Amino acid sequence: MSKLEILGRHTSYNVQKVLWLADELNIEYTHTQIGGRFGGTDSSEFLRMNPMGKVPVLRHGANVICESNTIVRYLAASFAAESWMGTTPFERSLRERWMDWSIGNLEPAFVGVFWGFYRTPADKRHRKSIESSVKACEICLRQLDNQLGNNHFLLGSVPSLADIATGVFLHRLWEIELAIEFPDNVRNWYDELSKRPGYKRWAMSDFAELANRTGY
Ligand SMILES: N[C@@H](CCC(=O)N[C@@H](CS)C(=O)NCC(=O)O)C(=O)O
């Protein structure tokens, strides 16, 4: 079987999606910390793999795969993880709509909070913009809450790529010292995710080194 190598610092929520899924699927992999304080994303070797200079990157034998949501789809497809990605086009669409929504809605709202507040020193923060990002996050959390209902996960009783792409943001939103309203179903979902070893190990890992750090 081809060797699997995950490249990217584990403090990146995009890298965490990949590490978390790899643990869920019990895949053997090596992990190399790249980016952030580790540097390395501007080396010519790295830029040949990902011209965007961003992590995560997955190397699987001769294949190089970039973009976190693309990587988790690739892993699920390569390791026959039907329940994670769905089998029919319609089942896949139910997962992918949350993956796309996450990039277009949840991630920008999260970034406004995480970069605007946590990664920016207090004297440089823009209060109004943080407030509007908190509101945007709360709208997203309510949309997730409606989807969850009483289910453990977004698509029902088992986790899927929809949970990977969106759940990775929850821990930081919960931990950050801002009053962000977590609706009940989202709170229960976060509890459920917290019980999963891969989520706990990666998505709940310490991120204090990113405080007040405006550069990568
Ligand atoms: N859309 C890309 C975004 C990748 C991205 O922006 N990664 C950030 C970390 S979250 C990065 O590489 N930053 C540079 C660094 O960490 O040095 C993905 O989902 O993979």
Side-chain angles (χ1 to χ4, degrees):
M1 173 151 5
S2 301
K3 190 177 145 205
L4 201 76
E5 191 182 357
I6 299 173
L7 306 166
R9 61 183 169 89
H10 77 276
T11 51
S12 148
Y13 53 84
N14 285 313
V15 175
Q16 290 174 357
K17 294 178 197 171
V18 180
L19 291 165
W20 171 19
L21 182 65
D23 282 7
E24 291 278 5
L25 301 181
N26 261 319
I27 303 171
E28 256 183 55
Y29 60 87
T30 60
H31 175 216
T32 309
Q33 302 273 13
I34 289 188
R37 70 185 164 90
F38 302 97
T41 49
D42 54 358
S43 73
S44 49
E45 191 204 348
F46 188 83
L47 290 170
R48 265 197 304 279
M49 290 189 287
N50 186 0
M52 310 302 173
K54 301 284 186 200
V55 292
V57 168
L58 178 75
R59 255 202 306 224
H60 187 205
N63 297 338
V64 174
I65 304 102
C66 302
E67 285 293 325
S68 58
N69 283 359
T70 302
I71 295 173
V72 294
R73 280 192 198 92
Y74 176 90
L75 286 179
S78 305
F79 294 89
E82 279 87 8
S83 68
W84 288 86
M85 62 182 276
T87 39
T88 67
F90 180 62
E91 281 170 7
R92 281 205 296 276
S93 82
L94 296 176
R95 288 147 180 82
E96 295 202 346
R97 67 195 265 193
W98 287 103
M99 299 173 79
D100 290 344
W101 172 86
S102 177
I103 292 174
N105 298 61
L106 179 58
E107 184 174 1
F110 168 84
V111 166
V113 163
F114 195 69
W115 277 84
F117 177 76
Y118 193 77
R119 295 197 64 151
T120 302
D123 59 330
K124 303 232 162 42
R125 290 176 190 153
H126 297 284
R127 193 173 54 84
K128 285 255 171 290
S129 136
I130 295 168
E131 278 168 11
S132 86
S133 296
V134 166
K135 284 205 177 75
C137 283
E138 288 176 337
I139 290 171
C140 289
L141 293 176
R142 284 199 293 276
Q143 289 167 338
L144 288 163
D145 191 73
N146 285 336
Q147 170 67 19
L148 283 159
N150 293 324
N151 290 321
H152 282 338
F153 301 104
L154 284 172
L155 269 298
S157 57
V158 292
S160 73
L161 294 190
D163 299 281
I164 298 275
T166 55
V168 81
F169 297 102
L170 283 188
H171 177 65
R172 292 184 185 184
L173 289 177
W174 180 258
E175 286 291 309
I176 208 164
E177 282 164 1
L178 281 172
I180 300 174
E181 199 179 314
F182 264 55
D184 287 349
N185 299 329
V186 172
R187 182 72 187 86
N188 293 339
W189 178 46
Y190 178 47
D191 281 348
E192 209 53 56
L193 295 178
S194 310
K195 291 181 203 154
R196 307 191 73 83
Y199 186 83
K200 208 178 173 67
R201 181 177 179 200
W202 301 115
M204 296 179 77
S205 62
D206 184 49
F207 55 91
E209 70 174 51
L210 303 178
N212 300 325
R213 194 178 165 114
T214 46
Y216 278 109

